[in-house]
Amino acid sequence: MPYKYQIFMWKVIHNVVPVKVRIFKHMNVVDQHCVLCNLHQVEDLDHMLLHCPFSQTFWQTFFPHHFSSFMQHSTILSWIHSWQDKEDDISIQKIQTSIHLASCIMHFIWKHRCRIFFSNITLNHNYVIHQVRSYIAYHHLGHTYHNHHISLRDNISLTLTWKPPPLQFLKINIDASFNYNSLLVGIGIITRTSTGAYVMGRGTVRRAINVQQAEAWALLESMQLAASNGWTHVIFETDNLSNSTVLQQQSTLSHWQSMPLLKKCMNICNINPVWSCVFVHKSCNKTADALAKKSRKLNVCGE
């Protein structure tokens, strides 16, 4: 797993994550209550990562079949120790990717807690769910969806080819072809199922100031298309890292010309919590790229 998650898990195991209870030992902190819930519980590691209702939402979402066994552990350290047991539901010997995902979720919970505490943002379950789903898709953690839930396979598949989405999901690949002389943008949108079957394609033309705005137009067009068709389980793939990062982190750190379009995308995503937007290599996005170029050159608009 990424080094930052290894470091965070080391801190969890050695109980050096600076939660309120730990800070209280070194300085006088008046309020020790958890910022993630309204239960007036003391913020320690066990509560924040395991027993807080906010955190339990993610364990129940991403590990639905193992949630009850997780909650039987009184401490986070006890649960981590159980990962070494071959007979346990989540075990290093059986499914290593589940440990990867569990560590990822803990880190996202902690980062969201810090954003609430230091930046005074509003508590948002969907934001963290979007982050985790995007992380799963971006790192190609082998997974299948069953009844809208995730079950992890034993291995990680990482190849630079287009991959079908999980069962019951649609995958929409998008790309934009921009011409600096005419400021004309061709947009290509390709929708496929978990079997790779073609569902719908759309080519359209817009005007843009630069490439970033062109890619933002493509993303907005694809999301409006999905919303108009009532698709609830969608993975959007783009080869524009900047735009995918903005949506994953719900940030405003983007080109000012693109931001109004990306904010519209954020609003649509917040209404559809199961949607996710991920970055892929250009080799995984060839079909959308070809359609975008054809749309611009022939001025084609339509499905």
Side-chain angles (χ1 to χ4, degrees), residues 124-195:
N124 190 338
H125 293 82
N126 292 338
Y127 173 76
V128 180
I129 290 176
H130 273 305
Q131 282 189 309
V132 176
R133 292 192 189 281
S134 298
Y135 182 87
I136 291 171
Y138 178 74
H139 288 272
H140 298 270
L141 291 178
H143 61 287
T144 57
Y145 283 77
H146 178 64
N147 294 330
H148 311 301
H149 293 143
I150 294 177
S151 60
L152 298 175
R153 296 195 191 115
D154 292 342
N155 59 352
I156 297 175
S157 176
L158 181 57
T159 58
L160 296 179
T161 58
W162 184 85
K163 291 184 177 296
L167 191 66
Q168 299 178 350
F169 273 69
L170 293 174
K171 179 172 283 188
I172 299 181
N173 286 78
I174 57 173
D175 205 0
S177 176
F178 179 66
N179 186 288
Y180 284 95
N181 296 322
S182 63
L183 300 182
L184 201 62
V185 179
I187 295 173
I189 303 171
I190 300 291
T191 307
R192 285 167 285 197
T193 67
S194 59
T195 63

Side-chain angles (χ1 to χ4, degrees), residues 39-99:
L39 301 180
H40 300 291
Q41 294 290 321
V42 173
E43 185 191 79
D44 56 20
L45 268 182
D46 300 327
H47 173 76
M48 183 183 69
L49 296 179
L50 195 61
H51 300 302
C52 178
F54 177 81
S55 304
Q56 289 182 352
T57 300
F58 311 114
W59 301 126
Q60 199 160 19
T61 299
F62 293 100
F63 293 94
H65 305 299
H66 310 302
F67 175 72
S68 58
S69 64
F70 290 177
M71 294 304 109
Q72 291 177 4
H73 294 278
S74 59
T75 67
I76 193 70
L77 191 59
S78 168
W79 181 36
I80 293 174
H81 277 308
S82 72
W83 295 351
Q84 301 178 70
D85 186 357
K86 294 181 180 180
E87 304 302 321
D88 201 73
D89 292 334
I90 301 298
S91 170
I92 292 175
Q93 284 84 0
K94 292 195 311 186
I95 310 177
Q96 294 182 358
T97 48
S98 61
I99 307 299

Side-chain angles (χ1 to χ4, degrees), residues 233-249:
H233 292 67
V234 184
I235 298 173
F236 298 89
E237 285 192 341
T238 173
D239 53 26
N240 185 283
L241 180 59
S242 174
N243 288 348
S244 63
T245 302
V246 167
L247 283 183
Q248 289 172 20
Q249 299 181 359

